[in-house]
Amino acid sequence: MASINSNYLKLKAGYLFPEIARRVRAFAENHPDAASNIIRCGIGDVTEPLPTAAINALKKATDELGDRATFRGYGPEQGYDFLRAAIAENDYRAKGVFVTDNEVFVSDGSKCDTANILDILGDDNIIAVADPVYPVYVDTNVMAGHTGNSDDSGRYEGFVYLPCTRENGFVAAPPSQQVDVAYLCFPNNPTGAVATKAQLKEWVDYALKNDTLLLFDAAYSDYIQDPELPRSIYEIEGARDCAIEFRSYSKSGGFTGVRCAYTIVPETVMGRTESGGRYPFHPLWSRRSSTKFNGVSYPIQRAAEALYSSEGKAEVSALVEHYMGNAAILRDAAREAGLEVYGGEHAPYIWIAAPSGLTSWDVFDKMLLDANVVITPGSGFGSNGEGFFRVSAFNSRDNALEVAQRIKNVKW
Ligand code: MLT
């Protein structure tokens, strides 16, 4: 009989979002009258149609595949040159940030990449994660056997947890001890907090001093409204020697169902070999892609490339503006309802303190029952998320306005 990966048995519950979907389904079955009234502000999934530039590129590329003269089979596992060049040029070099085309790896998602990156890391690293945190960073390390069991609060033995609280504005400073790997996510999921250049510099300085690899998840970078705030870790001097960056078209181009993202692995980021030498991560990630991945499909990569056309850029800006408009509506409504509100200014997530006496899951139940609105309980993101809940701004304008009204109507 094949043995199982018993590390999976250490996982606390189902993955957060399927668990929420399960509870919403159960509620709808038990309350059929309310079912059609439910509005989802739980998982951050986009609602607006794809940019026309992307649709046109998708159609054209699909037609190419239907013609013998322009047909393509397997593509390069690391991504087509046209997209790698468009990314390096538009998202980095045009903004004064040095990234080469060869350091860009196109993939089908940042969730997958932040999970898969563990393939090229050793099993003996000391790993720091924020609390609350995007659950993928934690669960994938548990699955890989990098932790012990969890305690009653849900924290796993072996991680260095970095509390993100009201007091530090939900941006953790580097720890006092040395860690080998630290996950950073800005704009942050779930709190909506964003790090300043000074705060990221503290992290880069720490990483260079302590030989720490920073895994910088910038999936929401397009949501940053203030040009003074850093969108990329590579805006900080020295980051090319210590950081890998993850970016996605899911939330900027509305690609959650289309699937395209990319990861930057600078050729200058090194890891430790068993014999204590230094070795670059870049060839390892490239090798991993060649062996385990056949690349993102050609039409999808053409669609991603089209987001960099002038029409595409304008459409991406309009999408971000739409969701940030929702965020402002939801934030104001929560404040009017007397709630303590964070985030939503440079991120599509609003992080709200549960009224006193209520746990995060109490708020989830109350919002579902009293307002027929699905939120995400903060405790699902870690023990420091207890006492908070997250409202996603990914919705139509009508739904955002309706949710705002319902939040104000709830008797807290
Ligand atoms: C979320 O709601 O946190 C996101 O949709 C998760 C993701 O992007 O994978």
Side-chain angles (χ1 to χ4, degrees):
M1 183 183 286
S3 66
I4 64 161
N5 178 350
S6 304
N7 294 313
Y8 278 64
L9 305 184
K10 293 180 198 162
L11 294 166
K12 283 298 281 182
Y15 183 57
L16 179 60
F17 296 108
E19 174 62 19
I20 289 171
R22 192 189 62 73
R23 290 185 186 221
V24 174
R25 265 196 314 276
F27 172 83
E29 270 163 35
N30 294 331
H31 301 82
D33 294 349
S36 62
N37 200 35
I38 293 173
I39 302 180
R40 287 171 172 76
C41 294
I43 189 166
D45 194 2
V46 293
T47 55
E48 303 308 292
L50 285 179
T52 314
I55 291 292
N56 290 340
L58 260 176
K59 287 181 183 160
K60 181 168 175 285
T62 308
D63 286 343
E64 283 176 43
L65 297 184
D67 183 338
R68 181 172 297 279
T70 47
F71 174 78
R72 298 179 189 230
Y74 287 126
E77 296 88 353
Q78 291 75 9
Y80 280 102
D81 286 348
F82 63 77
L83 182 54
R84 297 177 90 187
I87 291 166
E89 185 53 37
N90 288 279
D91 286 343
Y92 295 99
R93 294 194 295 259
K95 295 175 178 161
V97 177
F98 179 72
V99 164
T100 69
D101 300 4
N102 192 43
E103 293 172 333
V104 179
F105 293 84
V106 177
S107 77
D108 61 347
S110 287
K111 170 167 142 181
C112 322
D113 279 356
T114 57
N116 291 333
I117 201 75
L118 294 183
D119 272 7
I120 61 165
L121 298 181
D123 290 325
D124 55 351
N125 289 313
I126 300 170
I127 298 169
V129 288
D131 178 8
V133 67
Y134 179 44
V136 172
Y137 315 149
V138 169
D139 287 3
T140 53
N141 275 287
V142 175
M143 291 168 174
H146 295 168
T147 70
N149 288 315
S150 59
D151 63 17
D152 290 344
S153 73
R155 284 186 162 193
Y156 290 90
E157 187 196 338
F159 278 121
V160 173
Y161 283 97
L162 308 172
C164 295
T165 60
R166 293 176 174 86
E167 289 69 36
N168 62 17
F170 304 100
V171 179
S176 47
Q177 70 174 97
Q178 190 275 343
V179 299
D180 299 307
V181 179
Y183 289 85
L184 300 178
C185 173
F186 294 112
N188 186 259
N189 181 10
T191 66
V194 64
T196 61
K197 274 200 179 125
Q199 285 168 321
L200 285 192
K201 180 171 171 2
E202 230 192 296
W203 270 103
V204 169
D205 290 349
Y206 167 89
L208 294 174
K209 186 161 163 233
N210 290 278
D211 258 340
T212 305
L213 172 66
L214 302 180
L215 298 177
F216 190 77
D217 185 347
Y220 298 92
S221 59
D222 282 329
Y223 285 82
I224 293 179
Q225 306 291 302
D226 180 349
E228 289 304 308
L229 290 167
R231 289 176 173 224
S232 164
I233 189 83
Y234 305 120
E235 289 179 41
I236 313 299
E237 200 183 331
R240 281 185 56 79
D241 293 326
C242 61
I244 290 175
E245 178 163 295
F246 304 92
R247 293 241 197 145
S248 169
Y249 300 104
S250 283
K251 313 293 160 82
S252 53
F255 271 34
T256 56
V258 174
R259 311 303 316 148
C260 195
Y262 64 87
T263 291
I264 304 295
V265 186
E267 282 167 302
T268 37
V269 182
M270 302 281 171
R272 188 183 71 242
T273 65
E274 271 179 8
S275 58
R278 296 171 82 77
Y279 198 89
F281 283 111
H282 184 279
L284 303 184
W285 188 243
S286 189
R287 181 71 168 82
R288 183 205 174 273
S289 305
S290 303
T291 301
K292 292 197 172 183
F293 191 44
N294 272 325
V296 175
S297 79
Y298 173 68
I300 302 298
Q301 291 195 55
R302 281 293 185 200
E305 180 195 30
L307 298 179
Y308 296 108
S309 65
S310 52
E311 185 196 3
K313 281 180 183 170
E315 290 184 283
V316 167
S317 292
L319 278 176
V320 168
E321 204 178 304
H322 166 81
Y323 292 124
M324 288 308 290
N326 287 350
I329 289 165
L330 293 165
R331 226 176 47 227
D332 290 351
R335 283 223 175 92
E336 267 185 57
L339 298 168
E340 186 188 333
V341 181
Y342 302 93
E345 282 174 318
H346 303 286
Y349 296 127
I350 298 121
W351 187 243
I352 305 177
S356 81
L358 297 183
T359 67
S360 299
W361 279 108
D362 288 342
V363 174
F364 175 86
D365 290 338
K366 191 169 175 57
M367 284 290 284
L368 194 52
L369 194 64
D370 295 0
N372 299 157
V373 171
V374 180
I375 54 88
T376 306
S379 55
F381 299 102
S383 59
N384 268 317
E386 180 54 275
F388 289 90
F389 63 102
R390 191 192 79 175
V391 179
S392 161
F394 290 111
N395 233 313
S396 64
R397 183 54 49 85
D398 283 354
N399 274 353
L401 289 166
E402 176 63 23
V403 169
Q405 195 52 50
R406 291 188 197 178
I407 287 176
K408 289 192 264 186
N409 290 345
V410 169
K411 299 275 169 290
W412 296 104

